[in-house]
Amino acid sequence: PYENVISERSGKNDHQQEGMELYDQKKYNEAILQLKLAANEDSDNPSLKCYLGIAYLAAGDVHEAKRIFETMVHDDQSLFREVAEWNLAMTYLKLDEETFLKKTLEGIVEQKDHLYQEKAADLLRRL
């Protein structure tokens, strides 16, 4: 799972903070509950959507993860688009959807400065 890069809000124990603490502890099913509440409160926050998708993927709910990541990869303004693209590829890998997996990995490799370009190229070579 992707490292927690959301900064903590001091003095506030909200759903986001609780969800990210559970995420850091790898308690993904519990984190999902809190992150869903946080995402409902702040529906325009791409970081919450991304971590929620990763938590679903880590918890084994690949279909829900896929739904979230497929929505996120079309948002060119999101700082988490590249993370979503990589995790969408991992979702396709878990679902054994090889055609979509290869297409997604090729799209990542074509982007010069993509955060996961090298990993995607390596995985493509191994397929």
Side-chain angles (χ1 to χ4, degrees):
Y2 187 67
E3 171 187 349
N4 176 1
V5 295
I6 297 178
S7 60
E8 290 186 30
R9 297 182 208 164
S10 60
K12 201 168 186 190
N13 189 7
D14 61 2
H15 298 296
Q16 176 181 323
Q17 184 174 340
E18 179 71 19
M20 292 311 298
E21 286 173 9
L22 291 163
Y23 177 94
D24 288 339
Q25 296 168 18
K26 300 184 180 358
K27 296 179 179 178
Y28 298 113
N29 288 318
E30 295 171 50
I32 288 168
L33 297 174
Q34 293 300 316
L35 292 173
K36 279 174 62 174
L37 291 170
N40 286 338
E41 293 171 358
D42 188 3
S43 61
D44 293 330
N45 187 331
S47 63
L48 287 173
K49 291 176 189 173
C50 192
Y51 283 106
L52 180 58
I54 295 168
Y56 274 121
L57 184 58
D61 190 344
V62 290
H63 295 289
E64 193 61 28
K66 177 181 172 184
R67 185 189 65 76
I68 291 170
F69 295 134
E70 283 181 338
T71 302
M72 291 188 70
V73 298
H74 300 293
D75 184 359
D76 291 333
Q77 303 304 312
S78 173
L79 297 172
F80 285 87
R81 184 185 52 80
E82 291 181 5
V83 177
E85 284 176 326
W86 174 253
N87 280 284
L88 180 58
M90 297 300 95
T91 302
Y92 290 143
L93 181 63
K94 281 194 169 197
L95 290 169
D96 201 25
E97 294 182 5
E98 191 171 334
T99 302
F100 290 117
L101 171 60
K102 286 182 178 179
K103 183 178 178 183
T104 303
L105 291 173
E106 288 166 355
I108 291 171
V109 170
E110 289 173 5
Q111 298 175 56
K112 266 187 171 182
D113 296 328
H114 198 288
L115 183 62
Y116 294 96
Q117 185 185 34
E118 287 181 32
K119 286 184 175 185
D122 183 51
L123 184 52
L124 265 175
R125 282 189 292 275
R126 293 189 284 151
L127 291 176

